[in-house]
Amino acid sequence: MSSLPVLVLNSGSSSIKFSVYEAGNGERARLFEGAVDGIGTDLGKFWIKNAAGTKLVDQTPALPNRSVAFKLVADALHSGEFPAPVAIGHRMVCGGPTVQENQRITSELIDEMERYTAFAPLHTPIACYIMREALRLFPGVPNFVCLDSYFHRTMPEVVRHMPIPDEYSAMGVRRYGAHGISYESIVYQLQPEVPEKLIVAHLGNGSSISAILQGQCLDTSMGLTPTGGIISGTRTGDIDPGVLLFILREIAKTAQSASEAADKLETVVSKKSGLLGVSQLSNDMRDLREAIQAGNAHARLAVDKFTWTIARWIGSFVAELNGLDMLVFTGGIGENDMASRAEICAGLDALGIVLDAERNNVRGPAMISAKNSRVAVRVIPPLEDLIIVNHVVRLMGE
Ligand code: AMP
C-alpha cells in the first residue's frame, strides 16, 4: 500500500498556512497542519501540530520577509521529522482570463498568472512567490495550482460580464469571484444530496455569498477582485463608482504621481474600509460584538451594514435561483457568530427562512432552521485543504 503525502500551501499577505494529508489508497487523512504568521515582524509565529492537536513545533522567530518564512516551512518538511511531500497543491485566488483550470505549475504558468496581479492584489504576489520557491526548494515534486475562481467558471456570461467599454473587457476585466474552494467544499460535503437551489454565505475576514444551482455556481457577490460584493473586514464591497472618483480626486491633490494615487486609493478601499472603516474600531467581529454590548454606536452601524447587505444579497439570489432549498453559513463569522446569523435572517421569513433561536445558539456544524422553515438553514465549516488534495490527486492521475 503506497503512501502519498500531499502538501497544501495557502498563503496570505502576512502568513503562510500549510497542511500535509495522507492521500494514498483513496485515503484523505490530515497528518499535520501549521502556519508561519506575522511576516514582516520581529516576533512571528511558527507552529506545526499533528492530527491530535499536539504542537510539534512552537516558535516565535523573527520573520523579516516571506523568504525567511517559507524557508522555515521547507526546512521543517525536509528535516525527516515529517513525511516528505510527493505533490504540492497551492491555493490561488485568481489566475486571470487565460488560467481558469486547476493544473500543474510551470514557471511559464506562474508568469502568466502574475500578469493579472491587479485582479487579486493582496493575494497574488505572495502566492506566485511561494509557487516559484516551492519549485526550487522541492525539486522533482509536482506542484499544482487550485484556483478559487475555478468554482465560479460556470457563471453565465450575463453574470460575468462587466458593464464597461469592450476594450477593458478584452483585458480580462470581468467578474471572477473568490472563496471558490470554500464553496466547492460545501457542495462536496452536501453530496450526494446537494439541494437544487442553494445559497452559501462565506462570512469571515473577507466575506462573499454565492448562488448555486444544481451544484454549480450561478452567481457570486465578489467581482473582479475580492474587494467587490458584500462589505468585509477592511474592504468596501460594492460601492457607487462615484465614491471612488471622489476619493481619488481628494488623494490626487497631494499625490506625487498617478500610481501613488492609485496605490493610496487601493489602501482606502481594501484595507481601511468595511467593518473597520465604519466602526473606526476593528475589523474583527468579536471586538465589534463586545463594543456593541458596551453601547458603541459606530460598531452597531458597522455590523448593521454588514448584516443588511447580506440579507439584500440573499433576496436577490432567491430571485435569481427562482426559489431556495437551503442556506448555508460558513467562515469564521458564519460558523461562530450566532448574532450575525440571527440578524441576517430576522427579516427573511417571507422568503421561507426562519431560524430556531435555540438551535442557532451554537458554534460549528448544525441545522439551525426552525421546524416551520421552508428553507433548511445550516452551518457547515469549509474543508478547503481537502478539496485542494482531491484536485491534486485527480491531476496527478491525468
Ligand atoms: P476567517 O477569515 O474565516 O478566519 O474569519 C475571521 C472572522 O471570524 C473575524 O471577524 C472573527 O472575529 C470572526 N470570528 C471568529 N470566531 C468568532 C466568534 N467566536 N464569535 C464571533 N466572531 C468570530
Side-chain angles (χ1 to χ4, degrees), residues 10-35:
N10 186 346
S11 42
S13 50
S14 65
S15 70
I16 304 166
K17 293 183 190 152
F18 60 97
S19 60
V20 178
Y21 273 70
E22 173 53 59
N25 312 312
E27 248 188 274
R28 295 291 184 269
R30 190 173 66 208
L31 303 176
F32 304 100
E33 65 177 324

Short mmCIF file of all heavy atoms in Angstrom, two decimals, residues 10-35:
data_model
loop_
_atom_site.label_atom_id
_atom_site.label_comp_id
_atom_site.label_asym_id
_atom_site.label_seq_id
_atom_site.Cartn_x
_atom_site.Cartn_y
_atom_site.Cartn_z
N ASN A 10 -1.24 27.57 1.49
CA ASN A 10 -2.27 28.61 1.38
C ASN A 10 -1.67 29.89 1.95
O ASN A 10 -1.56 30.04 3.16
CB ASN A 10 -3.48 28.15 2.19
CG ASN A 10 -4.66 29.09 2.04
OD1 ASN A 10 -4.53 30.20 1.54
ND2 ASN A 10 -5.81 28.64 2.48
N SER A 11 -1.25 30.78 1.07
CA SER A 11 -0.52 31.95 1.56
C SER A 11 -1.38 33.20 1.55
O SER A 11 -2.19 33.41 0.65
CB SER A 11 0.72 32.17 0.70
OG SER A 11 0.42 31.99 -0.66
N GLY A 12 -1.22 34.01 2.58
CA GLY A 12 -1.91 35.30 2.66
C GLY A 12 -0.86 36.40 2.69
O GLY A 12 0.34 36.13 2.58
N SER A 13 -1.32 37.65 2.87
CA SER A 13 -0.36 38.76 2.77
C SER A 13 0.67 38.71 3.90
O SER A 13 1.80 39.15 3.72
CB SER A 13 -1.09 40.08 2.76
OG SER A 13 -2.01 40.12 3.82
N SER A 14 0.32 38.16 5.07
CA SER A 14 1.31 38.13 6.15
C SER A 14 1.48 36.74 6.75
O SER A 14 2.10 36.58 7.80
CB SER A 14 0.91 39.11 7.26
OG SER A 14 -0.30 38.68 7.83
N SER A 15 0.93 35.72 6.09
CA SER A 15 1.05 34.38 6.66
C SER A 15 1.12 33.32 5.56
O SER A 15 0.71 33.55 4.43
CB SER A 15 -0.17 34.08 7.55
OG SER A 15 -1.31 33.92 6.74
N ILE A 16 1.70 32.18 5.94
CA ILE A 16 1.67 31.00 5.05
C ILE A 16 1.09 29.86 5.89
O ILE A 16 1.67 29.48 6.90
CB ILE A 16 3.08 30.61 4.56
CG1 ILE A 16 3.77 31.77 3.87
CG2 ILE A 16 3.00 29.39 3.62
CD1 ILE A 16 5.28 31.56 3.67
N LYS A 17 -0.07 29.37 5.47
CA LYS A 17 -0.65 28.22 6.18
C LYS A 17 -0.36 26.98 5.35
O LYS A 17 -0.31 27.05 4.12
CB LYS A 17 -2.17 28.38 6.30
CG LYS A 17 -2.57 29.51 7.21
CD LYS A 17 -4.09 29.52 7.32
CE LYS A 17 -4.53 30.78 8.04
NZ LYS A 17 -5.84 31.21 7.66
N PHE A 18 -0.19 25.85 6.02
CA PHE A 18 0.08 24.63 5.26
C PHE A 18 -0.48 23.43 6.00
O PHE A 18 -0.72 23.48 7.21
CB PHE A 18 1.59 24.46 5.00
CG PHE A 18 2.42 24.37 6.25
CD1 PHE A 18 2.80 23.13 6.75
CD2 PHE A 18 2.82 25.51 6.92
CE1 PHE A 18 3.57 23.04 7.90
CE2 PHE A 18 3.58 25.44 8.08
CZ PHE A 18 3.97 24.20 8.56
N SER A 19 -0.70 22.36 5.26
CA SER A 19 -1.09 21.10 5.88
C SER A 19 -0.56 19.96 5.03
O SER A 19 -0.27 20.14 3.84
CB SER A 19 -2.62 21.01 6.02
OG SER A 19 -3.23 21.08 4.77
N VAL A 20 -0.38 18.82 5.66
CA VAL A 20 0.06 17.62 4.94
C VAL A 20 -1.01 16.56 5.11
O VAL A 20 -1.41 16.25 6.24
CB VAL A 20 1.43 17.11 5.47
CG1 VAL A 20 1.83 15.84 4.73
CG2 VAL A 20 2.50 18.18 5.32
N TYR A 21 -1.49 16.04 3.99
CA TYR A 21 -2.52 15.00 4.00
C TYR A 21 -1.92 13.69 3.50
O TYR A 21 -1.11 13.68 2.57
CB TYR A 21 -3.68 15.36 3.06
CG TYR A 21 -4.75 16.21 3.70
CD1 TYR A 21 -4.49 17.53 4.04
CD2 TYR A 21 -6.01 15.69 3.95
CE1 TYR A 21 -5.48 18.32 4.62
CE2 TYR A 21 -7.01 16.47 4.52
CZ TYR A 21 -6.73 17.79 4.86
OH TYR A 21 -7.70 18.55 5.43
N GLU A 22 -2.35 12.60 4.10
CA GLU A 22 -2.06 11.28 3.52
C GLU A 22 -3.18 11.01 2.51
O GLU A 22 -4.36 10.99 2.88
CB GLU A 22 -2.04 10.20 4.61
CG GLU A 22 -1.92 8.79 4.07
CD GLU A 22 -0.74 8.61 3.12
OE1 GLU A 22 0.39 8.86 3.53
OE2 GLU A 22 -0.97 8.26 1.94
N ALA A 23 -2.79 10.87 1.24
CA ALA A 23 -3.81 10.72 0.19
C ALA A 23 -3.66 9.42 -0.58
O ALA A 23 -4.25 9.25 -1.65
CB ALA A 23 -3.76 11.92 -0.75
N GLY A 24 -2.85 8.48 -0.04
CA GLY A 24 -2.68 7.19 -0.73
C GLY A 24 -3.90 6.30 -0.52
O GLY A 24 -4.66 6.48 0.44
N ASN A 25 -4.12 5.38 -1.41
CA ASN A 25 -5.18 4.37 -1.29
C ASN A 25 -6.56 4.98 -1.05
O ASN A 25 -7.35 4.46 -0.25
CB ASN A 25 -4.87 3.40 -0.14
CG ASN A 25 -3.45 2.90 -0.22
OD1 ASN A 25 -3.00 2.49 -1.27
ND2 ASN A 25 -2.73 2.98 0.89
N GLY A 26 -6.84 6.11 -1.68
CA GLY A 26 -8.16 6.73 -1.54
C GLY A 26 -8.37 7.39 -0.19
O GLY A 26 -9.45 7.90 0.11
N GLU A 27 -7.36 7.38 0.67
CA GLU A 27 -7.49 7.97 2.00
C GLU A 27 -7.42 9.49 1.91
O GLU A 27 -6.85 10.04 0.97
CB GLU A 27 -6.28 7.54 2.83
CG GLU A 27 -6.54 6.61 3.97
CD GLU A 27 -5.28 6.47 4.79
OE1 GLU A 27 -4.44 5.61 4.44
OE2 GLU A 27 -5.13 7.24 5.72
N ARG A 28 -7.98 10.17 2.90
CA ARG A 28 -7.80 11.62 2.99
C ARG A 28 -7.64 11.97 4.47
O ARG A 28 -8.55 12.47 5.10
CB ARG A 28 -9.02 12.37 2.43
CG ARG A 28 -9.25 12.20 0.95
CD ARG A 28 -8.18 12.89 0.11
NE ARG A 28 -8.51 12.76 -1.29
CZ ARG A 28 -8.10 11.77 -2.07
NH1 ARG A 28 -7.33 10.81 -1.59
NH2 ARG A 28 -8.45 11.72 -3.35
N ALA A 29 -6.48 11.67 5.04
CA ALA A 29 -6.30 11.95 6.46
C ALA A 29 -5.28 13.07 6.63
O ALA A 29 -4.19 13.01 6.07
CB ALA A 29 -5.82 10.69 7.18
N ARG A 30 -5.68 14.10 7.39
CA ARG A 30 -4.70 15.17 7.63
C ARG A 30 -3.69 14.72 8.68
O ARG A 30 -4.06 14.31 9.77
CB ARG A 30 -5.40 16.44 8.11
CG ARG A 30 -4.43 17.62 8.12
CD ARG A 30 -5.09 18.93 8.44
NE ARG A 30 -5.59 18.93 9.79
CZ ARG A 30 -6.62 19.63 10.21
NH1 ARG A 30 -7.28 20.39 9.38
NH2 ARG A 30 -7.03 19.57 11.46
N LEU A 31 -2.41 14.76 8.30
CA LEU A 31 -1.37 14.31 9.21
C LEU A 31 -0.87 15.46 10.08
O LEU A 31 -0.69 15.31 11.28
CB LEU A 31 -0.18 13.74 8.42
CG LEU A 31 -0.50 12.59 7.46
CD1 LEU A 31 0.74 12.20 6.67
CD2 LEU A 31 -1.03 11.39 8.24
N PHE A 32 -0.64 16.61 9.44
CA PHE A 32 -0.11 17.79 10.15
C PHE A 32 -0.71 19.05 9.57
O PHE A 32 -1.11 19.08 8.41
CB PHE A 32 1.42 17.90 9.95
CG PHE A 32 2.15 16.68 10.37
CD1 PHE A 32 2.57 15.76 9.41
CD2 PHE A 32 2.41 16.42 11.69
CE1 PHE A 32 3.24 14.61 9.77
CE2 PHE A 32 3.08 15.28 12.07
CZ PHE A 32 3.50 14.37 11.12
N GLU A 33 -0.73 20.08 10.38
CA GLU A 33 -1.01 21.41 9.84
C GLU A 33 -0.13 22.41 10.56
O GLU A 33 0.37 22.12 11.66
CB GLU A 33 -2.49 21.78 9.98
CG GLU A 33 -2.95 21.92 11.40
CD GLU A 33 -4.40 22.37 11.48
OE1 GLU A 33 -4.82 23.16 10.63
OE2 GLU A 33 -5.07 21.92 12.42
N GLY A 34 0.07 23.54 9.94
CA GLY A 34 0.91 24.54 10.57
C GLY A 34 0.79 25.88 9.89
O GLY A 34 0.02 26.04 8.93
N ALA A 35 1.52 26.85 10.40
CA ALA A 35 1.48 28.20 9.82
C ALA A 35 2.72 28.97 10.23
O ALA A 35 3.32 28.71 11.27
CB ALA A 35 0.24 28.94 10.29
#
